[in-house]
Amino acid sequence: MDNPQQDGRTARKRRAIVDAARTLFLRNGYAGTSMDEIAAMAEVSKQTVYKHFADKQRLFTELITLDISRIEVEVHPLEAAMPGTDDLERDLREYARTHLAVVMQPHLLRMRRVLIGEADRFPDLARAWYENGPVRSSALFAGWFEALGRRGLLNVPDPLLAAQHFNWLVLSIPLNRAMSLPVEAALYDEKELNHYADEGVRVFLAAYGR
């Protein structure tokens, strides 16, 4: 017969292990984290960790797979409305500000850095992260720009290339810095991020606007 109390304790221990592993992997990286440290932070025995996860590689894989699946970027109203915009500069700036603020969240920056560092060891995880982030964004933006080109608001002979230009004009400067410095807290305040977003839009429209 199942024991709900025992099942509850087991589930709590597993969550504690996963939470500890997340903290340590994102802080110290894969190579810099040991199963002993995970057990200590989770306040369980090392044997309990191995009971739930056969080895560090499987724990890391399950953790990151879970976190990627849980990344739910709130759908901005402009995602659907942008092709019909009545003020392209205003709406691109509003969206770019939100997009940059999401990408620059410290926990997402840490995960990006860990996956870049472990791309050779965990290529499927790195690919999943890439497809869930830059690929998804570029496809969304390309759809916008193709529609806006048909309306005569943009000159975009290659919508996907234009999408990638837009994405990285907005993200590249703050994100590049974040990949090179410790991320203990937010690296930029809202005013600074908004400035990068606005300038990215300005340069994009200078290149692609009519």
Side-chain angles (χ1 to χ4, degrees):
M1 180 179 296
D2 292 338
N3 185 332
Q5 187 175 5
Q6 178 64 32
D7 290 345
R9 285 197 297 269
T10 299
R12 285 194 296 273
K13 287 182 179 181
R14 185 180 182 88
R15 284 195 299 271
I17 293 166
V18 170
D19 289 345
R22 180 182 295 107
T23 297
L24 291 167
F25 283 136
L26 296 188
R27 186 176 70 196
N28 302 330
Y30 178 82
T33 299
S34 71
M35 295 293 260
D36 286 330
E37 291 171 318
I38 292 169
M41 179 170 283
E43 298 182 341
V44 300
S45 68
K46 188 174 179 180
Q47 289 74 19
T48 298
V49 176
Y50 281 111
K51 180 180 178 181
H52 288 276
F53 301 96
D55 53 39
K56 186 171 75 165
Q57 182 170 334
R58 294 186 192 183
L59 172 53
F60 182 80
T61 298
E62 184 168 329
L63 165 65
I64 298 299
T65 299
L66 177 64
D67 282 3
I68 290 173
S69 72
R70 287 178 172 175
I71 294 173
E72 297 179 0
V73 177
E74 183 177 350
V75 176
H76 195 289
L78 285 173
E79 289 196 13
M82 190 69 76
T85 179
D86 60 2
D87 189 329
L88 180 57
E89 181 176 1
R90 177 200 66 201
D91 289 347
L92 279 178
R93 286 175 63 177
E94 180 183 337
Y95 186 87
R97 289 180 173 196
T98 300
H99 181 50
L100 180 55
V102 168
V103 170
M104 291 296 292
Q105 293 178 83
H107 74 283
L108 294 181
L109 292 173
R110 292 188 188 101
M111 185 178 290
R112 182 189 292 264
R113 287 166 60 157
V114 168
L115 286 170
I116 289 171
E118 297 299 334
D120 289 337
R121 194 195 313 263
F122 299 97
D124 291 342
L125 293 180
R127 187 176 300 110
W129 174 264
Y130 178 71
E131 291 175 353
N132 197 60
V135 171
R136 176 194 172 278
S137 296
S138 292
L140 173 69
F141 302 154
W144 291 352
F145 299 152
E146 186 174 9
L148 293 165
R150 289 195 298 268
R151 292 179 58 198
L153 298 179
L154 292 176
N155 178 23
V156 281
D158 186 337
L160 183 57
L161 181 60
Q164 293 166 338
H165 284 159
F166 174 75
N167 196 39
W168 292 108
L169 282 169
V170 171
L171 300 181
S172 62
I173 295 174
L175 184 58
N176 189 51
R177 182 182 178 215
M179 292 299 97
S180 305
L181 296 175
V183 184
E184 299 302 329
L187 295 174
Y188 297 92
D189 61 28
E190 182 180 6
K191 182 179 179 180
E192 291 172 315
L193 289 181
N194 287 346
H195 174 69
Y196 285 119
D198 293 350
E199 284 300 292
V201 169
R202 183 185 65 79
V203 174
F204 176 80
L205 290 176
Y208 288 101
R210 288 188 180 276

